Amino acid sequence: MESGPAIFAGTAFALFGAALLLWTGVRVRYGEPVALGVAPRTAAVLTTLFGAGFLLLGIWCFGRL
């Protein structure tokens, strides 16, 4: 009964984290700004950290099943 919310949360976190990492990688590769009004290196580092964090959180949710 409790595995339903864990599966949903794990999927949401994992998809968001993976998408954020992919989007950041594409923006950095083409030299486009990751976030407007922020230093490019700072924005790339922060979005990479948050993307990895969300991906790990999703994996952790799946590990709790």
Side-chain angles (χ1 to χ4, degrees):
M1 190 65 89
E2 294 177 5
S3 64
I7 291 172
F8 177 76
T11 302
F13 283 131
L15 284 176
F16 180 72
L20 189 59
L21 287 173
L22 179 67
W23 179 80
T24 302
V26 169
R27 300 291 285 190
V28 167
R29 181 176 178 175
Y30 291 116
E32 298 176 359
V34 176
L36 295 176
V38 181
R41 184 168 289 170
T42 303
V45 169
L46 285 176
T47 54
T48 301
L49 287 175
F50 277 101
F54 279 112
L55 189 59
L56 289 173
L57 187 60
I59 292 169
W60 178 79
C61 286
F62 287 130
R64 302 289 293 169
L65 295 176

